[in-house]
Amino acid sequence: MATTALSRKANHLRHTYRCLTSRYLSHCTTTSSNPLSPLPRSVLPLGGGIQSLPQITQRFLFSTSIPTTTTVVDSETSKNTEEAKSDGSEKSGDSNHQDDKNNARRTVRRGPISWLSFLFLAATGAGLIWYYDRMKKQRIEAINKTSAIVKVGPSVGKPEIGGPFNLIDHDGKPVSEKDFMGKWTMIYFGFTHCPDICPDELQKLAAAIDKIKEKAGFDIVPVFITVDPERDNVEQVREYVKEFHPKLIGLTGSLEEIKKTARAYRIYYMKTSEEDSDYLVDHSIITYLMDPNMELVKFFGKNNDADALADGVIKEMKQYKSIKAKA
């Protein structure tokens, strides 16, 4: 009976061991990367002796509770690590985004041209333009005042322009400066073969003579003196002056007399070519206003049109008569 009871107990222990072994193997499959890991020695019988079921069960539970706790701790640790990483990545992302914004602002602020510098440059340019225009106007006003002062002061002195001459008019009669005494005259130097400048200036002179008569009632004698006596003989000059004004008087003469007269009136002239008879003469483009004493009152250049020339002559004649009346 004792043997039978002992064999029954042994069979019972074998069955319990098999159950525990199968349960442990299934648990290791889910928790361990090596499913074939051996059974812990804590649950195996030591020395081949037979242990009681409570002792085996206690050892098994103690041995299996450690991996479970470890697994939980590991999962919690990994979860905390992942959360820390995610928080760190989010913080680093936010910090990187903030750094990008700061860099963008710094880039905009440190650009070579900003709106403030552009406005400052525009204001500076406008100020320079305004200053230049103001200085230019002041300069023009100063020049005009200086010119007015020179005009008003004939007593200071007159340029030595003009003098005696002995020439021939377009009718072939000898003429000198004495024939124009007591008359207002306007003298222009040119030549009959002039292609454009001389005709324009004589037309302007003729128009100004008529305007002066119409506006102020002053009579003026227009005079044309040639600087090309080799081609401008009496007949040539006569035909030429008829094309401009009936009062226009044409004068010619010898080479020496023309040279002397041009020198007295400070007129420059020179042939541009002497290869043949078809040449031009370079000369000064000036119209002189002479008073009844054949003295210079004022000269007018090419930049005056007929109206400006007429107004200038009227102004000078009125001023001359006013000074003479006071004297």
Side-chain angles (χ1 to χ4, degrees), residues 9 42 46 67 111 121 123 125 132 139 152 166 262 266 282 289 317-318:
K9 188 175 182 179
S42 59
L46 298 176
L121 181 61
Y132 174 77
R139 179 63 178 171
V152 174
N166 293 288
R266 304 293 190 271
D282 188 16
L289 175 63
M317 291 180 69
K318 288 182 178 180

Side-chain angles (χ1 to χ4, degrees), residues 193-227:
H193 290 79
C194 182
D196 48 11
I197 296 177
C198 293
D200 293 341
E201 291 299 308
L202 290 174
Q203 288 177 359
K204 181 172 66 177
L205 175 60
I209 295 296
D210 294 336
K211 290 179 182 292
I212 292 169
K213 180 64 176 179
E214 181 182 354
K215 291 181 178 180
F218 298 148
D219 291 324
I220 297 179
V221 179
V223 179
F224 168 77
I225 300 177
T226 182
V227 293

Side-chain angles (χ1 to χ4, degrees), residues 23-303:
R23 182 178 178 184
Y24 176 77
L25 290 176
S26 63
H27 176 74
C28 290
T29 302
T30 57
T31 58
S32 175
S33 60
N34 189 5
L36 300 179
S37 59
L39 187 67
R41 298 179 60 89
S42 59
V43 298
L44 295 178
L46 298 176
I50 300 174
Q51 299 179 2
S52 63
L53 180 59
Q55 291 178 351
I56 295 175
T57 304
Q58 183 179 2
R59 289 187 178 183
F60 174 75
L61 292 176
F62 178 77
S63 62
T64 55
S65 62
I66 295 174
T68 303
T69 305
T70 304
T71 303
V72 172
V73 172
D74 291 339
S75 63
E76 290 180 355
T77 303
S78 62
K79 186 183 295 185
N80 293 333
T81 304
E82 290 178 357
E83 290 179 356
K85 289 182 179 180
S86 62
D87 292 338
S89 63
E90 289 179 357
K91 290 181 181 179
S92 62
D94 293 338
S95 62
N96 292 332
H97 184 66
Q98 187 67 25
D99 292 338
D100 293 339
K101 287 184 178 180
N102 294 332
N103 292 331
R105 291 176 181 175
R106 291 176 182 175
T107 303
V108 172
R109 292 178 182 176
R110 296 180 182 177
I113 298 177
S114 63
W115 283 107
L116 183 60
S117 61
F118 177 77
L119 292 175
F120 177 76
L121 181 61
T124 304
L128 290 175
I129 293 173
W130 175 81
Y131 177 77
Y132 174 77
D133 291 339
R134 183 178 179 183
M135 294 300 295
K136 185 177 180 181
K137 290 179 181 179
Q138 291 179 356
R139 179 63 178 171
I140 293 173
E141 291 176 358
I143 292 173
N144 292 334
K145 289 179 180 179
T146 304
S147 301
I149 293 173
V150 172
K151 292 178 184 177
V152 174
S155 60
V156 175
K158 293 182 179 181
E160 295 182 358
I161 295 177
F165 59 83
N166 293 288
L167 301 174
I168 301 172
D169 66 7
H170 61 269
D171 291 328
K173 298 177 181 180
V175 176
S176 68
E177 78 284 354
K178 295 179 181 179
D179 295 320
F180 298 99
M181 291 291 185
K183 303 174 184 178
W184 285 85
T185 57
M186 295 184 70
I187 302 175
Y188 176 79
F189 288 79
F191 64 106
T192 61
H193 290 79
C194 182
D196 48 11
I197 296 177
C198 293
D200 293 341
E201 291 299 308
L202 290 174
Q203 288 177 359
K204 181 172 66 177
L205 175 60
I209 295 296
D210 294 336
K211 290 179 182 292
I212 292 169
K213 180 64 176 179
E214 181 182 354
K215 291 181 178 180
F218 298 148
D219 291 324
I220 297 179
V221 179
V223 179
F224 168 77
I225 300 177
T226 182
V227 293
D228 185 19
E230 296 179 6
R231 293 183 297 181
D232 292 344
N233 53 28
V234 174
E235 292 78 10
Q236 181 71 24
V237 173
R238 182 190 305 120
E239 295 299 325
Y240 187 70
V241 297
K242 287 180 180 179
E243 299 177 0
F244 299 102
H245 200 278
K247 292 183 179 181
L248 181 59
I249 298 175
L251 301 179
T252 186
S254 65
L255 288 173
E256 291 299 325
E257 288 295 331
I258 293 297
K259 186 182 295 184
K260 180 181 177 181
T261 304
R263 187 182 299 114
Y265 283 84
R266 304 293 190 271
I267 294 297
Y268 159 83
Y269 71 97
M270 184 180 67
K271 291 181 180 180
T272 58
S273 175
E274 296 183 0
E275 295 180 356
D276 50 25
S277 59
D278 189 14
Y279 59 85
L280 298 176
V281 180
D282 188 16
H283 63 88
S284 303
I285 306 172
I286 297 175
T287 301
Y288 293 109
L289 175 63
M290 311 300 291
D291 65 11
N293 297 322
M294 284 300 290
E295 295 178 353
L296 177 67
V297 177
K298 189 177 181 180
F299 64 88
F300 299 90
K302 186 176 179 293
N303 57 334

